Amino acid sequence: MEGRIQAVRGMKDILPGEVETWQAVEALARKILEIYGFSEIRIPLLERTELFARSIGEATDIVEKEMYTFRDRSDISVTLRPEATAGILRAYIQHGLYRTQPFQKFYCIGPMFRYERPQKGRYRQFHQIDAEILGSPDPRCDAELLAMLRTLFEGMGLRELDFQINSLGCRSCRPSFKEAILSFLRDRETRLCEDCRRRLQINPLRIFDCKVPQCQENLRGAPQTLEHLCGPCRDHLESLERHLNSLEIPYTVNSLIVRGLDYYTRTIFEVISSDLGAQNAVCGGGRYDNLIEELGGPDMPAIGFAIGEERLVSLLLEGGRQRSRPPLDLFVVAVDARAESEAFLWLDRARRLGLRAETDLRGGSLKSQLRRAHKLSARRVLILGERELHQRRALLKAMDSGEQEEVPLDRLEAQMAEWVQGLREEK
RNA sequence: GUGGGUGUAGCUCAGAAGGUCAGAGCACCAGGUUGUGGCCCUGGGGGUCGAGGGUUCGAAUCCCUUCACUCACCCCA
């Protein structure tokens, strides 16, 4: 394939055949998000690099090695968004949205970019369905997000998804927990794997989900996040659990989940599927009570999540739930060149009335045009040839039965209008 | 960034130890009498066997390099 340009590594085309599933996912997501009171917000793909460095955290993998960063023509450093939250908050602060309405719920659907080695469920351009609730510390926010996720996933026919939650504590209790971990691991450090020794410096909590057996052994008896939560954080988690129970949302508390972004506080959660390979989270999110203030906004708590659309779509496809294009309502055949212009006219009339109608713009024999009509699973075919034009009528063929009838041209438009009516009633 | 696997027509793949090995199925296009789809039959288009180099009389087949894809690690959606 030398000489032919291929897509950039990690960037996927979504072709007809698969795109219908994406459309269905997004349509349902929008519907549910709107039902739950979220408003769409659209933000730029490109932001100043500093925004992500400050929000996600300088020492995170995303900022250190995964961002698409470059200088634009006026020499400012810009970055293709690796996640949506930072940009949404930037817009919220920049436009002073919190002044007119301090409590807001947003959603945003679109592509994100991270420069990573691609693998199953992970691409350099990927898509997220993102939702944020800004301006309330109430645990009902947390519960509402999870409730919405349940509704959404159920609506897609996905069961077997595991909702896992955890609490990372807050400014007042997290430092003491980190200290407890560090002192626990201090004399065991030499027995940890190389990666874990590095984690010890950067994000000690992450050692908990190391897969090396020896590391797991050394963690026996280690302090647990949940034991070190301060009173308010403990109350928050307990209250969330009460709400989840009353809404009958199944969940598990998993003290091992940690998130890769620095800004999370208190509640964090993931939605896990066992059918996704190594990248098994379809959705991840959490509370970030200090971030808005850190970005120069008011001191306002918030929480959000992001669904990985590629992963969601792959679950649907593997579950045999792909959508296909609806069949054609009408296919118009011009038997020979002399009927083409009349046929073309009726094709457009049909479309203006709202019928999904096609013809074969390459021409070809009657046989080949009918073959095409069949391939497009057209319900009806309108056949116009010299004979029909002379008699001012059209041949109408029903493809399932093969039966044909003649319709006078002066009655055809009314006939088409009836079909449109019938289609409306089917829905 | 690190490791494993794979690279032959649009797709899924055959091509045992180098010499009709450039193929099949599907897809696509066209025919199977005079204006008619699906099934069936016939025919056709399409590949520098990922790329470059080497060994050899001769390589898709062996060796080296490279690129791409893929899975996993790291990390995340």
Short mmCIF file of all heavy atoms in Angstrom, two decimals, chain A residues 12 114 117 122 128 199 206 259-260 279 311 366 387-388 397 399 404, chain B residues 1-2 28-29 35-37 50 69-77:
data_model
loop_
_atom_site.label_atom_id
_atom_site.label_comp_id
_atom_site.label_asym_id
_atom_site.label_seq_id
_atom_site.Cartn_x
_atom_site.Cartn_y
_atom_site.Cartn_z
N LYS A 12 -9.81 6.06 13.73
CA LYS A 12 -10.67 5.10 13.04
C LYS A 12 -11.73 5.79 12.19
O LYS A 12 -12.28 6.81 12.60
CB LYS A 12 -11.42 4.23 14.06
CG LYS A 12 -10.53 3.39 14.92
CD LYS A 12 -9.97 2.24 14.13
CE LYS A 12 -9.08 1.39 14.99
NZ LYS A 12 -7.98 0.78 14.23
N ARG A 114 -5.82 11.25 22.77
CA ARG A 114 -4.70 10.94 23.67
C ARG A 114 -3.69 10.14 22.86
O ARG A 114 -4.04 9.17 22.20
CB ARG A 114 -5.18 10.11 24.88
CG ARG A 114 -6.37 10.78 25.56
CD ARG A 114 -6.41 10.97 27.01
NE ARG A 114 -6.93 9.89 27.81
CZ ARG A 114 -8.01 10.01 28.62
NH1 ARG A 114 -8.72 11.12 28.66
NH2 ARG A 114 -8.35 9.03 29.40
N ARG A 117 -0.45 4.11 22.79
CA ARG A 117 -0.35 2.96 21.89
C ARG A 117 -1.74 2.35 21.79
O ARG A 117 -2.30 1.96 22.80
CB ARG A 117 0.65 1.98 22.50
CG ARG A 117 1.13 0.93 21.57
CD ARG A 117 2.25 1.45 20.69
NE ARG A 117 2.74 0.30 19.95
CZ ARG A 117 3.85 -0.35 20.26
NH1 ARG A 117 4.61 0.08 21.25
NH2 ARG A 117 4.23 -1.39 19.58
N ARG A 122 -9.03 1.09 22.92
CA ARG A 122 -8.27 2.31 23.19
C ARG A 122 -7.68 2.88 21.91
O ARG A 122 -6.91 2.21 21.23
CB ARG A 122 -7.17 2.05 24.19
CG ARG A 122 -6.56 3.37 24.64
CD ARG A 122 -5.66 3.21 25.80
NE ARG A 122 -4.47 2.51 25.41
CZ ARG A 122 -3.61 2.02 26.29
NH1 ARG A 122 -3.84 2.15 27.57
NH2 ARG A 122 -2.54 1.40 25.90
N GLN A 128 -16.39 10.36 23.65
CA GLN A 128 -16.99 10.24 24.97
C GLN A 128 -18.36 10.90 25.00
O GLN A 128 -18.62 11.88 24.31
CB GLN A 128 -16.10 10.93 26.02
CG GLN A 128 -14.80 10.20 26.26
CD GLN A 128 -14.02 10.77 27.44
OE1 GLN A 128 -14.18 11.93 27.80
NE2 GLN A 128 -13.18 9.94 28.04
N ARG A 199 5.27 4.03 41.26
CA ARG A 199 3.95 4.52 41.70
C ARG A 199 4.03 5.14 43.08
O ARG A 199 3.32 6.09 43.40
CB ARG A 199 2.95 3.36 41.76
CG ARG A 199 2.57 2.81 40.41
CD ARG A 199 1.53 1.71 40.57
NE ARG A 199 1.15 1.15 39.30
CZ ARG A 199 1.39 -0.10 38.92
NH1 ARG A 199 2.03 -0.93 39.73
NH2 ARG A 199 0.99 -0.53 37.75
N ARG A 206 -2.35 3.84 43.58
CA ARG A 206 -2.41 2.98 42.41
C ARG A 206 -1.75 1.62 42.62
O ARG A 206 -1.99 0.67 41.87
CB ARG A 206 -1.77 3.70 41.22
CG ARG A 206 -2.11 3.11 39.90
CD ARG A 206 -1.75 4.04 38.79
NE ARG A 206 -2.71 5.13 38.63
CZ ARG A 206 -3.96 4.96 38.25
NH1 ARG A 206 -4.43 3.77 37.98
NH2 ARG A 206 -4.75 5.99 38.11
N ARG A 259 -8.39 6.67 40.30
CA ARG A 259 -8.54 7.27 38.98
C ARG A 259 -7.27 7.99 38.60
O ARG A 259 -6.49 8.38 39.44
CB ARG A 259 -9.74 8.22 38.95
CG ARG A 259 -10.97 7.64 39.62
CD ARG A 259 -12.12 7.48 38.66
NE ARG A 259 -11.89 6.54 37.60
CZ ARG A 259 -12.04 6.80 36.32
NH1 ARG A 259 -12.38 8.00 35.92
NH2 ARG A 259 -11.84 5.88 35.44
N GLY A 260 -7.07 8.16 37.32
CA GLY A 260 -5.80 8.68 36.83
C GLY A 260 -5.73 10.19 36.78
O GLY A 260 -4.71 10.75 36.37
N GLN A 279 -9.17 -3.22 28.59
CA GLN A 279 -9.73 -1.89 28.88
C GLN A 279 -11.20 -2.10 29.20
O GLN A 279 -12.05 -1.97 28.32
CB GLN A 279 -9.54 -0.97 27.68
CG GLN A 279 -8.15 -0.97 27.10
CD GLN A 279 -7.08 -0.64 28.13
OE1 GLN A 279 -7.29 0.17 29.00
NE2 GLN A 279 -5.95 -1.29 28.04
N ARG A 311 -16.17 1.77 23.34
CA ARG A 311 -16.36 0.57 24.17
C ARG A 311 -17.84 0.20 24.26
O ARG A 311 -18.20 -0.97 24.23
CB ARG A 311 -15.77 0.82 25.56
CG ARG A 311 -14.26 0.98 25.48
CD ARG A 311 -13.63 1.25 26.83
NE ARG A 311 -12.22 1.61 26.63
CZ ARG A 311 -11.41 1.93 27.61
NH1 ARG A 311 -11.83 1.93 28.86
NH2 ARG A 311 -10.15 2.22 27.34
N LEU A 366 -32.94 -2.84 -17.23
CA LEU A 366 -34.03 -3.01 -16.27
C LEU A 366 -33.66 -4.06 -15.23
O LEU A 366 -33.89 -3.89 -14.03
CB LEU A 366 -35.28 -3.44 -17.05
CG LEU A 366 -36.52 -3.80 -16.24
CD1 LEU A 366 -36.93 -2.64 -15.36
CD2 LEU A 366 -37.65 -4.19 -17.18
N ARG A 387 -43.70 2.58 -22.90
CA ARG A 387 -45.10 2.16 -22.86
C ARG A 387 -45.90 2.96 -21.85
O ARG A 387 -46.99 3.47 -22.15
CB ARG A 387 -45.17 0.68 -22.48
CG ARG A 387 -45.41 -0.15 -23.70
CD ARG A 387 -45.63 -1.62 -23.52
NE ARG A 387 -45.28 -2.33 -22.36
CZ ARG A 387 -44.46 -3.40 -22.37
NH1 ARG A 387 -43.85 -3.75 -23.48
NH2 ARG A 387 -44.27 -4.07 -21.29
N GLU A 388 -45.32 3.08 -20.66
CA GLU A 388 -46.01 3.79 -19.58
C GLU A 388 -46.23 5.26 -19.96
O GLU A 388 -47.28 5.83 -19.71
CB GLU A 388 -45.22 3.70 -18.27
CG GLU A 388 -45.27 2.33 -17.62
CD GLU A 388 -44.46 1.29 -18.35
OE1 GLU A 388 -43.54 1.68 -19.11
OE2 GLU A 388 -44.76 0.09 -18.19
N LYS A 397 -44.57 -1.96 -8.67
CA LYS A 397 -44.31 -3.35 -8.31
C LYS A 397 -44.05 -3.46 -6.81
O LYS A 397 -43.24 -2.72 -6.26
CB LYS A 397 -43.09 -3.83 -9.09
CG LYS A 397 -42.68 -5.25 -8.79
CD LYS A 397 -41.54 -5.69 -9.68
CE LYS A 397 -41.16 -7.12 -9.36
NZ LYS A 397 -41.19 -7.96 -10.55
N MET A 399 -42.28 -5.47 -4.05
CA MET A 399 -41.15 -6.39 -4.15
C MET A 399 -41.32 -7.67 -3.34
O MET A 399 -40.76 -8.70 -3.69
CB MET A 399 -39.86 -5.68 -3.74
CG MET A 399 -39.42 -4.62 -4.72
SD MET A 399 -39.03 -5.31 -6.34
CE MET A 399 -37.29 -5.66 -6.11
N GLN A 404 -47.69 -6.62 -9.61
CA GLN A 404 -47.58 -5.31 -10.24
C GLN A 404 -48.96 -4.75 -10.54
O GLN A 404 -49.88 -5.49 -10.85
CB GLN A 404 -46.80 -5.42 -11.54
CG GLN A 404 -45.41 -5.95 -11.34
CD GLN A 404 -44.59 -5.93 -12.61
OE1 GLN A 404 -43.39 -5.84 -12.54
NE2 GLN A 404 -45.24 -5.99 -13.76
P G B 1 7.56 5.46 20.72
OP1 G B 1 7.31 6.86 21.04
OP2 G B 1 8.51 5.13 19.63
"O5'" G B 1 8.11 4.76 22.03
"C5'" G B 1 9.24 5.28 22.72
"C4'" G B 1 9.32 4.58 24.05
"O4'" G B 1 8.16 4.95 24.87
"C3'" G B 1 9.24 3.06 23.99
"O3'" G B 1 10.51 2.49 23.69
"C2'" G B 1 8.76 2.71 25.39
"O2'" G B 1 9.82 2.76 26.32
"C1'" G B 1 7.77 3.84 25.67
N9 G B 1 6.39 3.50 25.34
C8 G B 1 5.62 4.06 24.35
N7 G B 1 4.41 3.55 24.29
C5 G B 1 4.40 2.58 25.29
C6 G B 1 3.38 1.69 25.70
O6 G B 1 2.24 1.58 25.23
N1 G B 1 3.78 0.86 26.74
C2 G B 1 5.02 0.91 27.32
N2 G B 1 5.21 0.04 28.31
N3 G B 1 5.99 1.73 26.96
C4 G B 1 5.60 2.54 25.95
P U B 2 10.59 1.17 22.77
OP1 U B 2 12.01 0.95 22.44
OP2 U B 2 9.58 1.28 21.70
"O5'" U B 2 10.14 0.03 23.79
"C5'" U B 2 10.94 -0.26 24.94
"C4'" U B 2 10.33 -1.40 25.69
"O4'" U B 2 9.06 -0.99 26.27
"C3'" U B 2 9.95 -2.62 24.84
"O3'" U B 2 11.07 -3.46 24.59
"C2'" U B 2 8.91 -3.30 25.71
"O2'" U B 2 9.50 -4.02 26.77
"C1'" U B 2 8.16 -2.09 26.28
N1 U B 2 6.99 -1.74 25.46
C2 U B 2 5.85 -2.50 25.63
O2 U B 2 5.77 -3.43 26.41
N3 U B 2 4.78 -2.14 24.84
C4 U B 2 4.77 -1.10 23.92
O4 U B 2 3.73 -0.90 23.28
C5 U B 2 5.98 -0.37 23.80
C6 U B 2 7.04 -0.71 24.56
P C B 28 -23.04 -7.61 -4.25
OP1 C B 28 -24.11 -6.65 -3.93
OP2 C B 28 -23.40 -8.93 -4.82
"O5'" C B 28 -21.99 -6.93 -5.23
"C5'" C B 28 -21.45 -5.64 -4.91
"C4'" C B 28 -20.48 -5.22 -5.98
"O4'" C B 28 -19.33 -6.12 -5.97
"C3'" C B 28 -21.01 -5.35 -7.40
"O3'" C B 28 -21.79 -4.23 -7.76
"C2'" C B 28 -19.71 -5.44 -8.21
"O2'" C B 28 -19.10 -4.18 -8.35
"C1'" C B 28 -18.86 -6.31 -7.29
N1 C B 28 -18.94 -7.74 -7.61
C2 C B 28 -18.20 -8.23 -8.71
O2 C B 28 -17.51 -7.43 -9.36
N3 C B 28 -18.26 -9.54 -9.02
C4 C B 28 -19.02 -10.35 -8.28
N4 C B 28 -19.04 -11.65 -8.63
C5 C B 28 -19.78 -9.90 -7.18
C6 C B 28 -19.72 -8.59 -6.88
P C B 29 -23.10 -4.46 -8.62
OP1 C B 29 -23.84 -3.19 -8.58
OP2 C B 29 -23.77 -5.71 -8.23
"O5'" C B 29 -22.50 -4.66 -10.08
"C5'" C B 29 -21.75 -3.61 -10.69
"C4'" C B 29 -21.17 -4.10 -11.99
"O4'" C B 29 -20.15 -5.11 -11.72
"C3'" C B 29 -22.14 -4.83 -12.90
"O3'" C B 29 -22.95 -3.94 -13.64
"C2'" C B 29 -21.19 -5.62 -13.78
"O2'" C B 29 -20.57 -4.79 -14.75
"C1'" C B 29 -20.14 -6.06 -12.77
N1 C B 29 -20.45 -7.39 -12.21
C2 C B 29 -20.10 -8.52 -12.96
O2 C B 29 -19.55 -8.35 -14.06
N3 C B 29 -20.36 -9.76 -12.48
C4 C B 29 -20.96 -9.89 -11.29
N4 C B 29 -21.20 -11.12 -10.86
C5 C B 29 -21.34 -8.76 -10.51
C6 C B 29 -21.07 -7.54 -11.00
P G B 35 -37.79 -5.83 -24.66
OP1 G B 35 -39.27 -5.95 -24.82
OP2 G B 35 -37.08 -4.55 -24.59
"O5'" G B 35 -37.45 -6.72 -23.39
"C5'" G B 35 -36.58 -6.28 -22.37
"C4'" G B 35 -37.33 -5.75 -21.20
"O4'" G B 35 -38.04 -4.58 -21.63
"C3'" G B 35 -38.38 -6.66 -20.59
"O3'" G B 35 -37.84 -7.23 -19.43
"C2'" G B 35 -39.52 -5.73 -20.17
"O2'" G B 35 -39.55 -5.54 -18.74
"C1'" G B 35 -39.10 -4.39 -20.72
N9 G B 35 -40.12 -3.57 -21.35
C8 G B 35 -40.50 -3.52 -22.66
N7 G B 35 -41.41 -2.62 -22.89
C5 G B 35 -41.64 -2.04 -21.65
C6 G B 35 -42.52 -1.00 -21.27
O6 G B 35 -43.28 -0.35 -21.95
N1 G B 35 -42.44 -0.74 -19.91
C2 G B 35 -41.61 -1.39 -19.03
N2 G B 35 -41.68 -1.02 -17.76
N3 G B 35 -40.77 -2.35 -19.36
C4 G B 35 -40.85 -2.61 -20.69
P U B 36 -37.48 -8.75 -19.23
OP1 U B 36 -36.21 -9.03 -19.92
OP2 U B 36 -38.70 -9.50 -19.57
"O5'" U B 36 -37.26 -8.89 -17.67
"C5'" U B 36 -36.18 -8.22 -17.03
"C4'" U B 36 -36.62 -7.94 -15.63
"O4'" U B 36 -37.72 -7.03 -15.65
"C3'" U B 36 -37.10 -9.22 -14.93
"O3'" U B 36 -36.02 -9.51 -14.09
"C2'" U B 36 -38.39 -8.82 -14.20
"O2'" U B 36 -38.24 -8.84 -12.82
"C1'" U B 36 -38.60 -7.35 -14.61
N1 U B 36 -39.92 -6.88 -15.04
C2 U B 36 -40.82 -6.50 -14.06
O2 U B 36 -40.59 -6.62 -12.89
N3 U B 36 -41.99 -5.97 -14.53
C4 U B 36 -42.36 -5.78 -15.82
O4 U B 36 -43.42 -5.27 -16.09
C5 U B 36 -41.38 -6.22 -16.79
C6 U B 36 -40.22 -6.74 -16.37
P G B 37 -35.72 -10.84 -13.38
OP1 G B 37 -34.53 -11.32 -14.09
OP2 G B 37 -36.87 -11.73 -13.18
"O5'" G B 37 -35.28 -10.28 -11.95
"C5'" G B 37 -34.20 -9.36 -11.87
"C4'" G B 37 -33.98 -8.99 -10.44
"O4'" G B 37 -35.13 -8.27 -9.95
"C3'" G B 37 -33.87 -10.18 -9.49
"O3'" G B 37 -32.52 -10.62 -9.46
"C2'" G B 37 -34.27 -9.57 -8.16
"O2'" G B 37 -33.21 -8.84 -7.59
"C1'" G B 37 -35.36 -8.59 -8.59
N9 G B 37 -36.72 -9.12 -8.47
C8 G B 37 -37.46 -9.71 -9.45
N7 G B 37 -38.67 -10.02 -9.05
C5 G B 37 -38.72 -9.61 -7.73
C6 G B 37 -39.77 -9.68 -6.79
O6 G B 37 -40.92 -10.13 -6.93
N1 G B 37 -39.38 -9.16 -5.56
C2 G B 37 -38.15 -8.64 -5.27
N2 G B 37 -37.97 -8.21 -4.03
N3 G B 37 -37.17 -8.56 -6.15
C4 G B 37 -37.52 -9.05 -7.36
P G B 50 2.66 -9.76 1.57
OP1 G B 50 4.09 -10.10 1.50
OP2 G B 50 1.72 -10.46 2.46
"O5'" G B 50 2.55 -8.20 1.81
"C5'" G B 50 1.52 -7.44 1.18
"C4'" G B 50 1.74 -5.99 1.46
"O4'" G B 50 1.73 -5.77 2.90
"C3'" G B 50 3.10 -5.47 1.02
"O3'" G B 50 3.11 -5.09 -0.33
"C2'" G B 50 3.28 -4.25 1.93
"O2'" G B 50 2.52 -3.15 1.48
"C1'" G B 50 2.67 -4.78 3.24
N9 G B 50 3.68 -5.40 4.11
C8 G B 50 3.70 -6.68 4.59
N7 G B 50 4.74 -6.93 5.35
C5 G B 50 5.44 -5.73 5.38
C6 G B 50 6.65 -5.38 6.04
O6 G B 50 7.35 -6.08 6.75
N1 G B 50 7.00 -4.05 5.80
C2 G B 50 6.29 -3.18 5.02
N2 G B 50 6.80 -1.96 4.90
N3 G B 50 5.15 -3.49 4.38
C4 G B 50 4.79 -4.78 4.62
P C B 69 -1.36 1.39 12.12
OP1 C B 69 -2.39 2.44 12.09
OP2 C B 69 -0.26 1.45 13.10
"O5'" C B 69 -2.09 -0.02 12.27
"C5'" C B 69 -3.19 -0.34 11.43
"C4'" C B 69 -3.50 -1.81 11.54
"O4'" C B 69 -2.31 -2.57 11.18
"C3'" C B 69 -3.82 -2.33 12.94
"O3'" C B 69 -5.16 -2.09 13.28
"C2'" C B 69 -3.53 -3.81 12.78
"O2'" C B 69 -4.56 -4.47 12.09
"C1'" C B 69 -2.28 -3.78 11.92
N1 C B 69 -1.05 -3.81 12.71
C2 C B 69 -0.63 -5.05 13.24
O2 C B 69 -1.33 -6.05 13.03
N3 C B 69 0.50 -5.11 13.98
C4 C B 69 1.22 -4.00 14.18
N4 C B 69 2.33 -4.12 14.91
C5 C B 69 0.83 -2.74 13.66
C6 C B 69 -0.30 -2.68 12.93
P U B 70 -5.56 -1.82 14.81
OP1 U B 70 -6.99 -1.54 14.86
OP2 U B 70 -4.59 -0.87 15.39
"O5'" U B 70 -5.29 -3.24 15.50
"C5'" U B 70 -6.08 -4.37 15.15
"C4'" U B 70 -5.52 -5.60 15.80
"O4'" U B 70 -4.17 -5.82 15.35
"C3'" U B 70 -5.38 -5.52 17.32
"O3'" U B 70 -6.60 -5.83 17.97
"C2'" U B 70 -4.31 -6.57 17.59
"O2'" U B 70 -4.85 -7.88 17.55
"C1'" U B 70 -3.39 -6.38 16.39
N1 U B 70 -2.26 -5.48 16.67
C2 U B 70 -1.17 -6.03 17.33
O2 U B 70 -1.12 -7.20 17.66
N3 U B 70 -0.14 -5.17 17.57
C4 U B 70 -0.09 -3.82 17.23
O4 U B 70 0.92 -3.17 17.51
C5 U B 70 -1.26 -3.33 16.57
C6 U B 70 -2.29 -4.16 16.32
P C B 71 -6.97 -5.10 19.32
OP1 C B 71 -8.42 -5.24 19.50
OP2 C B 71 -6.35 -3.77 19.32
"O5'" C B 71 -6.23 -5.97 20.43
"C5'" C B 71 -6.62 -7.31 20.66
"C4'" C B 71 -5.56 -8.04 21.45
"O4'" C B 71 -4.32 -8.04 20.69
"C3'" C B 71 -5.15 -7.39 22.76
"O3'" C B 71 -6.05 -7.69 23.81
"C2'" C B 71 -3.78 -8.04 22.99
"O2'" C B 71 -3.91 -9.36 23.46
"C1'" C B 71 -3.21 -8.05 21.58
N1 C B 71 -2.38 -6.86 21.31
C2 C B 71 -1.03 -6.92 21.69
O2 C B 71 -0.61 -7.94 22.24
N3 C B 71 -0.23 -5.84 21.45
C4 C B 71 -0.73 -4.76 20.86
N4 C B 71 0.09 -3.74 20.65
C5 C B 71 -2.10 -4.68 20.48
C6 C B 71 -2.89 -5.74 20.71
P A B 72 -6.21 -6.67 25.02
OP1 A B 72 -7.26 -7.23 25.90
OP2 A B 72 -6.34 -5.31 24.47
"O5'" A B 72 -4.80 -6.75 25.78
"C5'" A B 72 -4.49 -7.88 26.57
"C4'" A B 72 -3.04 -7.85 27.00
"O4'" A B 72 -2.19 -7.73 25.84
"C3'" A B 72 -2.59 -6.67 27.86
"O3'" A B 72 -3.00 -6.80 29.21
"C2'" A B 72 -1.08 -6.79 27.72
"O2'" A B 72 -0.58 -7.87 28.48
"C1'" A B 72 -0.97 -7.13 26.23
N9 A B 72 -0.74 -5.92 25.44
C8 A B 72 -1.63 -5.19 24.67
N7 A B 72 -1.10 -4.14 24.11
C5 A B 72 0.22 -4.15 24.54
C6 A B 72 1.31 -3.30 24.30
N6 A B 72 1.23 -2.22 23.54
N1 A B 72 2.48 -3.60 24.89
C2 A B 72 2.56 -4.69 25.66
N3 A B 72 1.60 -5.58 25.96
C4 A B 72 0.45 -5.24 25.36
P C B 73 -3.10 -5.50 30.11
OP1 C B 73 -3.69 -5.91 31.39
OP2 C B 73 -3.72 -4.43 29.29
"O5'" C B 73 -1.58 -5.11 30.35
"C5'" C B 73 -0.72 -5.93 31.12
"C4'" C B 73 0.65 -5.32 31.20
"O4'" C B 73 1.17 -5.14 29.86
"C3'" C B 73 0.71 -3.92 31.79
"O3'" C B 73 0.71 -3.95 33.21
"C2'" C B 73 2.04 -3.40 31.24
"O2'" C B 73 3.12 -3.90 31.97
"C1'" C B 73 2.04 -4.02 29.84
N1 C B 73 1.55 -3.06 28.82
C2 C B 73 2.43 -2.08 28.38
O2 C B 73 3.57 -2.04 28.87
N3 C B 73 2.02 -1.18 27.46
C4 C B 73 0.79 -1.26 26.96
N4 C B 73 0.43 -0.36 26.06
C5 C B 73 -0.14 -2.26 27.40
C6 C B 73 0.28 -3.14 28.31
P C B 74 -0.15 -2.90 34.02
OP1 C B 74 0.08 -3.16 35.45
OP2 C B 74 -1.53 -2.90 33.49
"O5'" C B 74 0.52 -1.52 33.62
"C5'" C B 74 1.76 -1.12 34.22
"C4'" C B 74 2.20 0.19 33.62
"O4'" C B 74 2.32 0.03 32.18
"C3'" C B 74 1.22 1.34 33.78
"O3'" C B 74 1.33 1.97 35.04
"C2'" C B 74 1.64 2.26 32.63
"O2'" C B 74 2.81 2.97 32.98
"C1'" C B 74 1.98 1.24 31.54
N1 C B 74 0.82 1.00 30.65
C2 C B 74 0.56 1.92 29.63
O2 C B 74 1.31 2.89 29.50
N3 C B 74 -0.50 1.73 28.82
C4 C B 74 -1.29 0.67 28.99
N4 C B 74 -2.33 0.52 28.17
C5 C B 74 -1.05 -0.29 30.03
C6 C B 74 0.00 -0.08 30.83
P C B 75 0.06 2.11 35.98
OP1 C B 75 0.46 2.92 37.14
OP2 C B 75 -0.56 0.79 36.19
"O5'" C B 75 -0.94 2.97 35.09
"C5'" C B 75 -0.78 4.39 35.01
"C4'" C B 75 -1.52 4.92 33.81
"O4'" C B 75 -1.32 4.02 32.70
"C3'" C B 75 -3.03 5.01 33.93
"O3'" C B 75 -3.42 6.18 34.63
"C2'" C B 75 -3.42 5.07 32.47
"O2'" C B 75 -3.14 6.35 31.93
"C1'" C B 75 -2.46 4.06 31.85
N1 C B 75 -3.06 2.72 31.78
C2 C B 75 -3.92 2.46 30.71
O2 C B 75 -4.13 3.37 29.88
N3 C B 75 -4.49 1.24 30.60
C4 C B 75 -4.24 0.30 31.51
N4 C B 75 -4.82 -0.88 31.37
C5 C B 75 -3.37 0.55 32.62
C6 C B 75 -2.81 1.76 32.71
P C B 76 -4.87 6.31 35.27
OP1 C B 76 -4.99 7.67 35.79
OP2 C B 76 -5.12 5.15 36.15
"O5'" C B 76 -5.80 6.17 33.99
"C5'" C B 76 -6.54 7.27 33.51
"C4'" C B 76 -7.01 7.00 32.11
"O4'" C B 76 -6.40 5.80 31.63
"C3'" C B 76 -8.50 6.74 31.95
"O3'" C B 76 -9.21 7.95 31.82
"C2'" C B 76 -8.54 5.96 30.66
"O2'" C B 76 -8.40 6.78 29.54
"C1'" C B 76 -7.29 5.09 30.78
N1 C B 76 -7.55 3.77 31.37
C2 C B 76 -8.28 2.85 30.61
O2 C B 76 -8.68 3.18 29.49
N3 C B 76 -8.52 1.62 31.13
C4 C B 76 -8.07 1.30 32.33
N4 C B 76 -8.33 0.09 32.80
C5 C B 76 -7.33 2.23 33.13
C6 C B 76 -7.10 3.44 32.62
P A B 77 -10.69 8.10 32.41
OP1 A B 77 -10.99 9.53 32.58
OP2 A B 77 -10.82 7.16 33.53
"O5'" A B 77 -11.59 7.56 31.22
"C5'" A B 77 -12.98 7.77 31.27
"C4'" A B 77 -13.63 6.83 30.28
"O4'" A B 77 -13.28 7.23 28.94
"C3'" A B 77 -13.13 5.41 30.39
"O3'" A B 77 -13.87 4.71 31.36
"C2'" A B 77 -13.33 4.87 28.99
"O2'" A B 77 -14.64 4.46 28.80
"C1'" A B 77 -13.05 6.10 28.13
N9 A B 77 -11.68 6.15 27.65
C8 A B 77 -10.58 6.64 28.30
N7 A B 77 -9.48 6.59 27.60
C5 A B 77 -9.89 6.04 26.40
C6 A B 77 -9.20 5.71 25.22
N6 A B 77 -7.90 5.93 25.06
N1 A B 77 -9.89 5.17 24.21
C2 A B 77 -11.20 4.96 24.38
N3 A B 77 -11.97 5.22 25.43
C4 A B 77 -11.24 5.77 26.42
#
